[in-house]
Structure formats: C-alpha cells, structure tokens
Amino acid sequence: MARVKVAVMGATGYGGVGVATYILGHPQAELVWVGSGTYEGRRLDEACPWLRGRTDLVCVAQNPSQAAEAADVVFMAQPNGFAMDNAGKVLESGRKVIDLSGDFRIKDTAVYERYYGRPQTAPELLEEAVYGLPEITGDAVAGARLVANTGCYPTGPILALHPLLAAGLVTGEDIIIDAISGVSGAGRAKHALPFHFPEMNETLTAYRLGRHQHTPEIEQALGSARGEALALTFSPHLAPITRGILATCYARVPQEMDAEGAADRCRAELIQRYGASPFVRVLPAGEVPSTKATLGSNYCDINVFEDARTRRVIVVTAVDNLGRGAASQAVQNMNLMLGFGEALGIDQAPVFP
Ligand SMILES: NC(=O)c1ccc[n+]([C@@H]2O[C@H](COP(=O)([O-])OP(=O)(O)OC[C@H]3O[C@@H](n4cnc5c(N)ncnc54)[C@H](OP(=O)(O)O)[C@@H]3O)[C@@H](O)[C@H]2O)c1
C-alpha cells in the first residue's frame, strides 16, 4: 500500500521538526515536503543536524498551496495567526490539515480575540475544526479534515480532569491548575530576553497570570465534560529545564461524597477510563508523576492524591510539551484521521535519564 504523503510547514521549529522526525520513522507515512522561510533552499538536516543521514529533503518557502500539491496531509506548526489565514488553501485541494497553533482551538471568537489579542479571521473553518485530544475527542478526529491539536499545557489537565468531572467525582467549581513548563515551550525562533540562558537559568517565574491563552482552552474542554460552562484559575510557570510540563490540579470533592477515599475513587475511574489507551498511564497509588519519566514520549502520566481536610483532590500530570504536548500528539491525531493504528510511529519509550 502506498504510504501517505506528509508536508510539514514550520518544519525547522521545535513542533514542526518533531512531527517531521516522527513521520520519518512512520511505517505508513512519508515525509515529502518541508517548509521554512529562514532555511529556504537549504537542507532540513542543515537546520536540524540531528537528522543527518535520515533525510535529504530541502526546505522550501512556506506556501500552503504547494504543500497541498505535494502531500495528502499538511501539518502547520507556525506561530498563532498563520493557520487561520492559510488552512483553507490546503483544504480546498482536498487535503487534510493538522494545526499545532491555537488558531482553531477556541470555539468562541470573542474569547479567542480576548486571549490571543487578534481576531479569528476564519470562522467558517473554525466551525468545522475538531479539537484534537485523541482519548477525549478521537471519534470526531477520525472524520475530520481540519484538526486543532491540543495545546501543551492543556493536554495533561484535560486528560486527568475530564473523566473525573464527567463521572461527578469532582465539581467544576474553583478548579486551580498550577503548571510548570520547560523553556522549549516558547519555541525555537523566539529569542526574547526571558528565554536567554543567563536570564532563565537558576530561576523560577510565573507568567501571564490570570490571562494565559490556554485558560479558555482548558475551560472549554472541561466544560464539555459537564455540559455547562466553568471558570478556573490557571497559573503557568517557567522552569530552567529544556522540555516537560508538570501540572498540579486542585479540584473539590462534591459535598455529598466523603472526602476520605476521594483519591482512590478518582484513580479507579481513570484506570477504567484509560485501561485501553496506550498513552495514558495512571501511576500506582502514591507515585508522583515526573516530567523525566515522560521525556521524548507520547505518554501522559497521571496520579491523584487527596487533602481530606480541605475536601480537595490533587491531580498531578506530566507530559513532554514537545511530544505529547505537540508533535507526537499531532501524529496520533493523524493516525486517527487516516484510520491507522493510534500508536503507529509514536510508540517510543521515554528517553532516560
Ligand atoms: N513549543 C511547544 O512546546 C509547543 C507546544 C504545543 C504547541 N505549540 C505551537 O506550535 C506552533 C509552533 O511552535 P514551535 O514551538 O515549534 O515554534 P518555533 O520553534 O519557534 O517554530 C516556529 C516555526 O514557524 C515558522 N515561522 C515563524 N514565523 C512565521 C511566519 N510569520 N509565517 C510563517 N512561518 C513562520 C518558523 O520557520 P521560518 O521562520 O523558518 O519560516 C518555524 O519553523 C506555535 O503555534 C505554538 O504555539 C508549541
């Protein structure tokens, strides 16, 4: 059977080269086209030397129509704002699009504009876009032409809290999420001062408090679990590590339930919910997830603890922001869209230490 042809726009950025790397090792897909403005006319393995010996492809200008001419599936891994202006040109050629940016994740355009600081200029595409979190929206992803790959921070908290909210084991009131990300979350092309090694190393900072653009994305997904809107507090932090996101989530135990034993009930629900999922690991009771145990993989590790005094469960999740939070999740979505095995090409064990 002919392999599916894949184009990656933004192929020299962290998200894009991650997708390119997975596709190079994918048994049913072939990397045929890589786009980059900065490296146009130069080999991909010049921009990304760790790919030497694995590809001869040369980067071309970031032209969506040319990407669609060359490939069956086009990944867009550019800054916010690119996909909404360009995905239509790919879709009208009958090709599929998987977008790693936030352009098509937020269904309410007013909310999008408030958090992203720009209008959503492709509302007709937004309507058909499917939010791509495979274990939660996989059935819809399977029939989609346009998938909005879930964001890096939202992935762990949504995978953990969505089933607990749906089962009524936690309430939607007063959820708090503290999350810590490695610096690669800011991308490869951005050279802003806060990400400069002397400024970022040996320090911990919180940022965009009360206004981070992933807040409405998490609210939208968790609201769908309960069938009603919810508001939560999401506080992102930057740590001087290269990759990985640890999220500590606090949620209330419903009044009618005993707070003692809440963690066991939640763990049992998650184990049942994700028993057949290859990439969600509910850890043994008491074991705390760590970013290191998920690095370079598509795993999301989850565990649940309780603070009966305050009637809260504390849910901890770990993912690799560039793997499960971006590139390998995007390929997992592609696998679902094309009817491939969910784990094809992305089943690598984490890199350790
Ligand atoms: N880093 C993460 O952890 C992460 C996780 C999930 C999602 N994302 C999302 O994925 C997307 C890519 O992020 P990244 O971290 O891979 O960023 P990155 O490493 O900075 O790469 C960005 C890519 O976009 C291209 N680009 C930059 N400006 C452009 C423009 N104006 N028009 C077209 N292409 C442009 C760059 O290539 P040229 O300049 O060579 O054209 C580069 O290949 C973003 O939307 C980001 O929010 C990132």
Side-chain angles (χ1 to χ4, degrees):
M1 200 176 76
R3 291 193 293 168
V4 164
K5 291 187 166 63
V6 171
V8 180
M9 307 193 72
T12 60
Y14 288 147
V17 75
V19 171
T21 305
Y22 286 114
I23 297 299
L24 285 169
H26 195 292
Q28 300 287 347
E30 183 188 2
L31 185 68
V32 296
W33 190 100
V34 285
S36 165
T38 307
Y39 292 93
E40 184 184 345
R42 288 150 73 185
R43 289 171 58 105
L44 180 62
D45 63 5
E46 187 185 329
C48 306
W50 59 95
L51 288 180
R52 280 205 185 105
R54 303 184 83 90
T55 176
D56 293 327
L57 282 174
V58 172
C59 298
V60 295
Q62 308 260 36
N63 182 317
S65 303
Q66 285 170 9
E69 249 170 58
D72 306 299
V73 179
V74 176
F75 288 85
M76 294 190 166
Q78 285 108 330
N80 297 312
F82 182 88
M84 68 170 110
D85 288 342
N86 291 285
K89 295 170 196 151
V90 176
L91 294 172
E92 69 199 20
S93 315
R95 310 310 196 195
K96 292 177 187 288
V97 173
I98 300 168
D99 175 34
L100 276 73
S101 84
D103 284 8
F104 296 112
R105 294 186 198 143
I106 309 293
K107 290 296 181 189
D108 184 327
T109 52
V111 172
Y112 177 88
E113 186 162 351
R114 184 177 334 132
Y115 280 89
Y116 282 82
R118 68 174 79 233
Q120 214 292 351
T121 53
E124 68 297 342
L125 294 182
L126 178 65
E127 203 173 312
E128 86 157 278
V130 171
Y131 187 65
L133 184 51
E135 290 78 2
I136 306 288
T137 62
D139 289 348
V141 167
R145 296 194 309 158
L146 170 60
V147 165
N149 204 51
T150 299
C152 51
Y153 276 123
T155 294
I158 297 171
L159 284 172
L161 295 173
H162 192 283
L164 303 183
L165 283 159
L169 293 173
V170 299
T171 77
E173 284 121 49
D174 207 17
I175 291 174
I176 296 171
I177 300 169
D178 285 329
I180 309 168
S181 175
V183 183
S184 62
R188 193 179 187 202
K190 201 190 274 179
H191 302 293
L193 205 53
F195 310 109
H196 186 44
F197 182 80
E199 311 267 338
M200 155 279 287
N201 192 38
E202 300 291 352
T203 189
L204 293 167
T205 46
Y207 64 102
R208 263 187 251 168
L209 295 172
R211 60 185 180 90
H212 193 278
Q213 69 277 13
H214 287 163
T215 310
E217 182 179 337
I218 304 170
E219 289 177 344
Q220 178 180 278
L222 295 185
S224 77
R226 288 160 40 84
E228 63 187 54
L230 58 75
L232 53 79
T233 299
F234 167 62
S235 298
H237 299 73
L238 189 65
I241 58 174
T242 301
R243 53 203 287 172
I245 293 177
L246 189 82
T248 305
C249 316
Y250 306 89
R252 291 202 181 280
V253 179
Q255 275 308 328
E256 63 278 13
M257 285 184 189
D258 193 347
E260 300 275 353
D264 288 342
R265 288 195 297 273
C266 291
R267 286 189 69 259
E269 178 66 26
L270 292 172
I271 288 167
Q272 200 216 343
R273 175 68 176 73
Y274 292 123
S277 298
F279 296 120
V280 180
R281 303 189 293 196
V282 183
L283 301 188
E287 209 174 290
V288 186
S290 70
T291 55
K292 210 170 196 57
T294 64
L295 283 199
S297 82
N298 196 47
Y299 287 120
C300 173
D301 285 358
I302 306 178
N303 217 345
V304 189
F305 305 83
E306 71 192 32
D307 183 352
R309 286 173 320 112
T310 58
R311 299 190 54 79
R312 287 183 188 279
V313 289
I314 304 165
V315 186
V316 183
T317 70
V319 296
D320 182 329
N321 58 299
L322 296 177
R324 181 57 197 237
S328 53
Q329 179 147 264
V331 175
Q332 190 180 357
N333 280 318
M334 180 195 82
N335 286 339
L336 293 175
M337 290 165 91
L338 299 176
F340 296 157
E342 188 178 358
L344 271 193
I346 50 171
D347 203 13
Q348 297 80 356
V351 177
F352 192 86

mmCIF file of all heavy atoms in Angstrom, residues 83-102:
data_model
loop_
_atom_site.group_PDB
_atom_site.id
_atom_site.type_symbol
_atom_site.label_atom_id
_atom_site.label_comp_id
_atom_site.label_asym_id
_atom_site.label_seq_id
_atom_site.Cartn_x
_atom_site.Cartn_y
_atom_site.Cartn_z
ATOM 1 N N ALA A 83 -2.202 29.679 10.539
ATOM 2 C CA ALA A 83 -3.108 28.627 10.048
ATOM 3 C C ALA A 83 -4.468 29.187 9.657
ATOM 4 O O ALA A 83 -5.055 28.765 8.654
ATOM 5 C CB ALA A 83 -3.251 27.529 11.091
ATOM 6 N N MET A 84 -4.978 30.135 10.419
ATOM 7 C CA MET A 84 -6.324 30.631 10.083
ATOM 8 C C MET A 84 -6.329 31.339 8.733
ATOM 9 O O MET A 84 -7.336 31.365 8.044
ATOM 10 C CB MET A 84 -6.892 31.498 11.210
ATOM 11 C CG MET A 84 -6.209 32.789 11.429
ATOM 12 S SD MET A 84 -7.199 33.773 12.585
ATOM 13 C CE MET A 84 -6.193 33.782 14.027
ATOM 14 N N ASP A 85 -5.196 31.876 8.325
ATOM 15 C CA ASP A 85 -5.119 32.532 7.010
ATOM 16 C C ASP A 85 -4.785 31.550 5.887
ATOM 17 O O ASP A 85 -4.938 31.893 4.709
ATOM 18 C CB ASP A 85 -4.029 33.621 7.030
ATOM 19 C CG ASP A 85 -4.443 34.820 7.856
ATOM 20 O OD1 ASP A 85 -5.651 34.976 8.113
ATOM 21 O OD2 ASP A 85 -3.551 35.589 8.263
ATOM 22 N N ASN A 86 -4.287 30.378 6.225
ATOM 23 C CA ASN A 86 -3.734 29.503 5.187
ATOM 24 C C ASN A 86 -4.315 28.095 5.104
ATOM 25 O O ASN A 86 -4.158 27.432 4.087
ATOM 26 C CB ASN A 86 -2.212 29.402 5.378
ATOM 27 C CG ASN A 86 -1.526 30.720 5.062
ATOM 28 O OD1 ASN A 86 -1.382 31.085 3.910
ATOM 29 N ND2 ASN A 86 -1.138 31.453 6.109
ATOM 30 N N ALA A 87 -4.995 27.635 6.160
ATOM 31 C CA ALA A 87 -5.509 26.256 6.138
ATOM 32 C C ALA A 87 -6.525 26.056 5.023
ATOM 33 O O ALA A 87 -6.576 24.985 4.397
ATOM 34 C CB ALA A 87 -6.137 25.909 7.492
ATOM 35 N N GLY A 88 -7.324 27.105 4.734
ATOM 36 C CA GLY A 88 -8.352 26.988 3.690
ATOM 37 C C GLY A 88 -7.752 26.621 2.339
ATOM 38 O O GLY A 88 -8.342 25.849 1.581
ATOM 39 N N LYS A 89 -6.543 27.154 2.052
ATOM 40 C CA LYS A 89 -5.912 26.877 0.752
ATOM 41 C C LYS A 89 -5.543 25.399 0.631
ATOM 42 O O LYS A 89 -5.492 24.840 -0.463
ATOM 43 C CB LYS A 89 -4.655 27.739 0.589
ATOM 44 C CG LYS A 89 -4.977 29.226 0.537
ATOM 45 C CD LYS A 89 -3.720 30.090 0.615
ATOM 46 C CE LYS A 89 -4.107 31.527 0.949
ATOM 47 N NZ LYS A 89 -3.092 32.269 1.678
ATOM 48 N N VAL A 90 -5.271 24.758 1.749
ATOM 49 C CA VAL A 90 -4.946 23.319 1.733
ATOM 50 C C VAL A 90 -6.232 22.505 1.638
ATOM 51 O O VAL A 90 -6.329 21.562 0.850
ATOM 52 C CB VAL A 90 -4.154 22.935 3.011
ATOM 53 C CG1 VAL A 90 -3.898 21.437 3.052
ATOM 54 C CG2 VAL A 90 -2.839 23.719 3.073
ATOM 55 N N LEU A 91 -7.227 22.896 2.418
ATOM 56 C CA LEU A 91 -8.475 22.130 2.457
ATOM 57 C C LEU A 91 -9.182 22.152 1.108
ATOM 58 O O LEU A 91 -9.782 21.152 0.695
ATOM 59 C CB LEU A 91 -9.395 22.686 3.550
ATOM 60 C CG LEU A 91 -8.881 22.515 4.987
ATOM 61 C CD1 LEU A 91 -9.774 23.281 5.958
ATOM 62 C CD2 LEU A 91 -8.814 21.045 5.375
ATOM 63 N N GLU A 92 -9.090 23.290 0.392
ATOM 64 C CA GLU A 92 -9.799 23.343 -0.885
ATOM 65 C C GLU A 92 -9.162 22.430 -1.931
ATOM 66 O O GLU A 92 -9.771 22.117 -2.942
ATOM 67 C CB GLU A 92 -9.976 24.795 -1.382
ATOM 68 C CG GLU A 92 -8.736 25.499 -1.812
ATOM 69 C CD GLU A 92 -8.901 27.043 -1.856
ATOM 70 O OE1 GLU A 92 -9.828 27.583 -1.210
ATOM 71 O OE2 GLU A 92 -8.080 27.673 -2.529
ATOM 72 N N SER A 93 -7.937 21.964 -1.684
ATOM 73 C CA SER A 93 -7.314 20.975 -2.575
ATOM 74 C C SER A 93 -7.680 19.554 -2.156
ATOM 75 O O SER A 93 -7.124 18.588 -2.675
ATOM 76 C CB SER A 93 -5.787 21.075 -2.531
ATOM 77 O OG SER A 93 -5.364 22.388 -2.595
ATOM 78 N N GLY A 94 -8.563 19.415 -1.165
ATOM 79 C CA GLY A 94 -8.981 18.074 -0.743
ATOM 80 C C GLY A 94 -8.008 17.422 0.208
ATOM 81 O O GLY A 94 -8.091 16.212 0.471
ATOM 82 N N ARG A 95 -7.056 18.189 0.725
ATOM 83 C CA ARG A 95 -6.079 17.616 1.670
ATOM 84 C C ARG A 95 -6.535 17.858 3.100
ATOM 85 O O ARG A 95 -7.424 18.669 3.356
ATOM 86 C CB ARG A 95 -4.701 18.264 1.477
ATOM 87 C CG ARG A 95 -4.201 18.297 0.056
ATOM 88 C CD ARG A 95 -4.296 16.974 -0.626
ATOM 89 N NE ARG A 95 -3.496 16.920 -1.840
ATOM 90 C CZ ARG A 95 -3.610 16.000 -2.764
ATOM 91 N NH1 ARG A 95 -4.515 15.044 -2.633
ATOM 92 N NH2 ARG A 95 -2.829 16.007 -3.827
ATOM 93 N N LYS A 96 -5.871 17.187 4.041
ATOM 94 C CA LYS A 96 -6.207 17.349 5.461
ATOM 95 C C LYS A 96 -5.172 18.235 6.152
ATOM 96 O O LYS A 96 -4.005 18.260 5.749
ATOM 97 C CB LYS A 96 -6.243 15.979 6.151
ATOM 98 C CG LYS A 96 -7.402 15.088 5.665
ATOM 99 C CD LYS A 96 -7.349 13.728 6.324
ATOM 100 C CE LYS A 96 -8.369 12.764 5.744
ATOM 101 N NZ LYS A 96 -9.754 13.066 6.108
ATOM 102 N N VAL A 97 -5.623 18.918 7.183
ATOM 103 C CA VAL A 97 -4.735 19.828 7.930
ATOM 104 C C VAL A 97 -4.754 19.471 9.411
ATOM 105 O O VAL A 97 -5.820 19.263 10.004
ATOM 106 C CB VAL A 97 -5.180 21.300 7.770
ATOM 107 C CG1 VAL A 97 -4.354 22.217 8.682
ATOM 108 C CG2 VAL A 97 -5.052 21.753 6.320
ATOM 109 N N ILE A 98 -3.560 19.433 9.994
ATOM 110 C CA ILE A 98 -3.439 19.337 11.453
ATOM 111 C C ILE A 98 -2.635 20.556 11.889
ATOM 112 O O ILE A 98 -1.486 20.736 11.482
ATOM 113 C CB ILE A 98 -2.735 18.031 11.867
ATOM 114 C CG1 ILE A 98 -3.546 16.832 11.358
ATOM 115 C CG2 ILE A 98 -2.560 17.977 13.397
ATOM 116 C CD1 ILE A 98 -2.833 15.506 11.439
ATOM 117 N N ASP A 99 -3.284 21.410 12.682
ATOM 118 C CA ASP A 99 -2.664 22.676 13.084
ATOM 119 C C ASP A 99 -2.199 22.597 14.531
ATOM 120 O O ASP A 99 -2.975 22.249 15.424
ATOM 121 C CB ASP A 99 -3.680 23.811 12.913
ATOM 122 C CG ASP A 99 -3.132 25.130 13.418
ATOM 123 O OD1 ASP A 99 -1.911 25.357 13.296
ATOM 124 O OD2 ASP A 99 -3.920 25.941 13.953
ATOM 125 N N LEU A 100 -0.937 22.916 14.750
ATOM 126 C CA LEU A 100 -0.396 22.870 16.115
ATOM 127 C C LEU A 100 -0.607 24.175 16.877
ATOM 128 O O LEU A 100 -0.336 24.245 18.069
ATOM 129 C CB LEU A 100 1.109 22.534 16.082
ATOM 130 C CG LEU A 100 1.453 21.039 15.991
ATOM 131 C CD1 LEU A 100 1.171 20.487 14.604
ATOM 132 C CD2 LEU A 100 2.908 20.782 16.362
ATOM 133 N N SER A 101 -1.062 25.211 16.201
ATOM 134 C CA SER A 101 -1.232 26.506 16.882
ATOM 135 C C SER A 101 -2.584 26.566 17.582
ATOM 136 O O SER A 101 -3.365 25.613 17.554
ATOM 137 C CB SER A 101 -1.123 27.647 15.869
ATOM 138 O OG SER A 101 -2.369 27.864 15.218
ATOM 139 N N GLY A 102 -2.861 27.723 18.193
ATOM 140 C CA GLY A 102 -4.121 27.882 18.909
ATOM 141 C C GLY A 102 -5.266 28.390 18.046
ATOM 142 O O GLY A 102 -6.364 28.611 18.542
#
